[in-house]
Amino acid sequence: MDQVHEQKCAACGGPLRFDPETGKLVCDYCGTVYEIGEQEEPQAEDTLEGYDFDQLSAHAAAENAEGLPIYNCVSCGAEVIASSQEMALTCPYCGNNIVLTEKVSGNLRPDGVIPFKITAKVLPQVLKEFYRDKKLLPKNFFNDSRMEKVTGVYVPFWVFSGHLSGRLQFKGEKSSSRRSGDYIITDTKHYLVGRDVSMDFKDLPVDASGRVEDELMDSLEPFGMEDVKPFDMQYLAGFTADRFDRAREDMAERARTRMNNSATSLARSQVTNDFSGVRLVGGKLQADLKARYLLFPVYLFKLKHGKQQYSFAVNGQTGKIVGSVPTDKKVSWQYFLIRAGICLGAVLLIFFVKYMLGR
Ligand SMILES: [Zn+2]
Ligand SMILES: [Zn+2]
């Protein structure tokens, strides 16, 4: 098996890229269009037992001074340095889109991918709409800013489904009051309430890469599972991709916690219907989980305004954008004054009306 697979046009040898608009592979040089799966994908022998991260880099031809693996570009022969997570990238010398096959083989092969659905072309418009209703922006902020280079990256996720079952114990109270002469007597009875839990969970995503901010990724959700396609290297053409660097078992723990929390709060809300002062006092839940290793499409870019930089991420399937909004101190101060003025005006008006009515 070759270490490097290049996404190359069979007709002219030009670099191929996956086109989100058509969902096909396109050669920008000669215009040839390929269906996904039409070009042959090198079939990996399952040589990688388990996934020993250290062992992986040993498969590369050599290492650079910092210990990063070096690959040789098949097209131009240049040495390409990849981080240990990168599995798809563009050769900086000849522009060919390459996949590091050992990182998508055997146990490292993703189960599926949500291909990019929106193109990078629409991002300026998405950004413009994001800023449209932000009130505290510095004047002319958008026009004075510059969008830095956009990277489309497939971010690895563990997506968990499974069944949660068990029994939870709550303590609850029921109170009743009655009057007896000058006293009000309250009787409180305490109950131990058991609740059986049996819940199915489907497609709970947990970001499997330590290289992207968790909170940023959480806010990009949801990703629609209806677009998951069986993995094919060709979806990666023209984009970068990272393989997971957080083990499935560690992330399963996080998924379990999320499932436990939502099951517990659901059970608690049911108990609260009948009792007051409800408290969880015991119980045990067991999760039976299955994980899929999926790649989700994300655009990352920075917006530069003067010396400031603002980071953005866009869901490459839905166009949902998350990022920071600068607030102009002068503008927000004015905004505060206007609001304070309105409040003061309203208070004065009330006094005035009261005064008039009182006369
Ligand atoms: Zn071509
Ligand atoms: Zn090259």
Side-chain angles (χ1 to χ4, degrees):
M1 175 181 63
D2 289 332
Q3 285 175 347
V4 176
H5 170 65
E6 25 169 25
Q7 314 255 28
K8 226 173 174 181
C9 173
C12 76
L16 290 177
R17 64 172 179 87
F18 174 73
D19 176 31
E21 266 171 326
T22 57
K24 292 174 182 171
L25 276 181
V26 188
C27 171
D28 289 326
Y29 287 77
C30 70
T32 311
V33 175
Y34 300 88
E35 296 288 336
I36 297 294
E38 196 178 301
Q39 290 236 326
E40 204 187 323
E41 186 178 327
Q43 273 313 305
E45 316 115 58
D46 276 2
T47 46
L48 295 170
E49 294 289 324
Y51 35 83
D52 180 351
F53 294 135
D54 296 330
Q55 191 204 328
L56 258 186
S57 53
H59 285 253
E63 286 182 354
N64 78 343
E66 283 97 55
L68 291 174
I70 296 174
Y71 299 85
N72 285 100
C73 173
V74 188
S75 286
C76 71
E79 291 188 334
V80 181
I81 296 167
S83 76
S84 58
Q85 290 92 356
E86 268 174 316
M87 61 191 192
L89 60 147
T90 302
C91 170
Y93 304 99
C94 70
N96 249 304
N97 296 320
I98 54 186
V99 176
L100 307 176
T101 38
E102 65 190 15
K103 291 181 186 166
V104 293
S105 305
N107 284 324
L108 292 174
R109 187 182 169 86
D111 296 312
V113 50
I114 297 180
F116 274 90
K117 224 174 174 176
I118 62 166
T119 60
K121 278 185 293 188
V122 305
L123 295 180
Q125 190 55 35
V126 172
L127 187 65
K128 209 168 180 178
E129 266 154 43
F130 173 77
Y131 276 127
R132 180 165 295 159
D133 52 338
K134 303 284 184 282
K135 292 193 179 67
L136 303 182
L137 282 183
K139 226 176 170 193
N140 284 329
F141 173 78
F142 192 76
N143 293 335
D144 296 344
S145 304
R146 195 161 43 93
M147 248 175 99
E148 304 277 89
K149 185 178 174 290
V150 175
T151 20
V153 54
Y154 282 101
V155 178
F157 275 78
W158 291 114
V159 178
F160 294 95
S161 298
H163 186 77
L164 191 71
S165 59
R167 194 172 168 79
L168 295 175
Q169 261 132 24
F170 296 93
K171 258 187 184 157
E173 306 168 351
K174 265 186 183 168
S175 301
S176 57
S177 302
R178 61 195 153 85
R179 181 174 275 277
S180 163
D182 285 344
Y183 299 98
I184 293 175
I185 296 171
T186 305
D187 290 322
T188 303
K189 287 181 179 161
H190 298 269
Y191 296 85
L192 197 59
V193 192
R195 271 274 179 272
D196 285 324
V197 171
S198 174
M199 280 173 99
D200 282 319
F201 287 86
K202 207 170 173 338
D203 297 331
L204 207 67
V206 182
D207 148 32
S209 167
R211 300 216 299 173
V212 284
E213 275 176 61
D214 291 348
E215 274 152 47
L216 205 62
M217 285 305 111
D218 287 351
S219 13
L220 279 184
E221 288 172 24
F223 287 89
M225 297 297 154
E226 67 279 3
D227 286 335
V228 175
K229 300 273 187 293
F231 177 75
D232 191 309
M233 285 185 200
Q234 292 171 347
Y235 290 116
L236 310 187
F239 297 97
T240 58
D242 283 355
R243 67 165 174 78
F244 68 90
D245 56 6
R246 290 167 163 177
R248 176 175 41 200
E249 257 326 294
D250 297 342
M251 295 303 106
E253 213 34 60
R254 205 184 285 189
R256 246 177 236 125
T257 308
R258 272 170 75 175
M259 290 178 188
N260 280 355
N261 289 346
S262 53
T264 306
S265 70
L266 182 70
R268 182 200 303 275
S269 72
Q270 288 167 349
V271 177
T272 308
N273 284 339
D274 301 326
F275 301 94
S276 59
V278 174
R279 227 155 25 95
L280 179 71
V281 290
K284 202 171 161 54
L285 295 179
Q286 270 182 330
D288 180 18
L289 292 185
K290 278 202 175 72
R292 286 193 294 165
Y293 172 29
L294 302 181
L295 303 177
F296 290 167
V298 174
Y299 284 112
L300 299 170
F301 64 90
K302 289 196 162 64
L303 193 71
K304 217 168 175 184
H305 182 259
K307 280 184 183 142
Q308 292 289 318
Q309 273 195 348
Y310 302 95
S311 299
F312 284 88
V314 176
N315 182 322
Q317 181 193 23
T318 64
K320 181 178 182 185
I321 181 169
V322 293
S324 47
V325 185
T327 48
D328 186 318
K329 289 214 176 83
K330 220 165 83 192
V331 177
S332 54
W333 184 234
Q334 284 167 357
Y335 194 68
F336 169 77
L337 284 181
I338 291 170
R339 283 167 59 134
I342 292 171
C343 287
L344 187 66
V347 170
L348 287 178
L349 186 69
I350 290 168
F351 272 111
F352 179 71
V353 169
K354 275 195 168 165
Y355 172 75
M356 293 298 280
L357 289 176
R359 278 200 337 168

